[in-house]
């Protein structure tokens, strides 16, 4: 696959993800600290980001690098991300219920306040998201449906 083909695929995926998440080019410029012309070039297919910028962009958009660079539909990536968020929220709802029902729950040496419980849940959300990312199943190239 030529570099021009990769640029076109990247631009199409980027634009579709931006539309689905209601993100504008100026949002990306501010979030990543890159020039407006750079982001415009990404969206038009004139070029693709360097590796470090590509990683930052995928993190900002909440998608995998492969979702930006592969031929598969980025809508699938968005739905997978939404599904992952829904799973995390379900786990957090169960944890919230257990924490609220726990008698004698202490946080920093004092009875846990609702704000303290929310703080615990925020930390759990980050940890769960990181664990899900780390534990994703690896699929060897010969079995992938690219």
């Amino acid at each position: 696959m030529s570099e021009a083909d990769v640029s076109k695929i990247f631009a199409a995926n980027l634009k579709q993800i931006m539309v689905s998440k209601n993100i504008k080019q100026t949002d990306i410029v501010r979030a990543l600290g890159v020039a407006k012309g750079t982001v415009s070039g990404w969206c038009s297919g004139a070029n693709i980001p360097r590796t470090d910028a590509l990683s930052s962009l995928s993190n900002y958009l909440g998608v995998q690098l492969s979702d930006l660079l592969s031929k598969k539909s980025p809508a699938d990536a968005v739905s997978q991300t939404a599904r992952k968020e829904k799973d995390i929220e379900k786990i957090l709802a169960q944890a919230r219920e257990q924490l609220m029902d726990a008698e004698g729950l202490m946080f920093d040496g004092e009875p846990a306040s609702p704000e303290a419980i929310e703080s615990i849940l925020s930390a759990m959300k980050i940890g769960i998201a990181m664990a899900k990312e780390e534990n994703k199943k690896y699929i060897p190239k010969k079995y992938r449906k690219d």
Side-chain angles (χ1 to χ4, degrees):
M1 187 179 311
S2 72
E3 187 175 330
D5 292 337
V6 173
S7 292
K8 287 178 187 176
I9 291 168
F10 172 78
N13 290 346
L14 176 59
K15 286 189 277 188
Q16 188 171 0
I17 291 168
M18 288 171 61
V19 167
S20 70
K21 294 187 174 226
N22 197 24
I23 295 174
K24 297 176 178 52
Q25 288 185 21
T26 54
D27 298 331
I28 295 173
V29 167
R30 274 189 241 115
L32 302 183
V34 295
K36 187 175 180 181
T38 301
V39 176
S40 178
W42 297 345
C43 291
S44 69
N47 55 39
I48 59 173
R50 295 183 325 266
T51 305
D52 58 333
L54 188 59
S55 178
S56 298
L57 179 62
S58 70
N59 288 336
Y60 174 71
L61 296 173
V63 297
Q64 300 297 314
L65 288 173
S66 61
D67 299 328
L68 286 169
L69 298 171
S70 70
K71 286 185 180 181
K72 72 177 185 168
S73 169
D76 295 340
V78 172
S79 69
Q80 288 175 358
T81 302
R83 189 174 334 124
K84 183 171 75 172
E85 284 294 322
K86 189 176 180 181
D87 290 346
I88 291 172
E89 288 303 320
K90 186 176 178 182
I91 293 167
L92 290 176
Q94 292 171 345
R96 179 178 286 113
E97 184 178 316
Q98 290 177 350
L99 288 172
M100 292 295 196
D101 290 343
E103 289 187 30
L105 179 64
M106 303 293 277
F107 185 73
D108 201 20
E110 297 180 13
S113 67
E115 294 82 18
I117 291 173
E118 287 304 317
S119 177
I120 293 168
L121 291 170
S122 294
M124 286 176 65
K125 182 175 183 176
I126 293 168
I128 293 168
M130 289 174 66
K132 281 188 169 290
E133 186 68 28
E134 189 72 28
N135 294 327
K136 280 199 305 192
K137 184 177 177 183
Y138 172 75
I139 300 173
K141 194 170 190 172
K142 67 181 183 178
Y143 296 116
R144 292 184 194 156
K145 297 178 183 177
D146 292 336

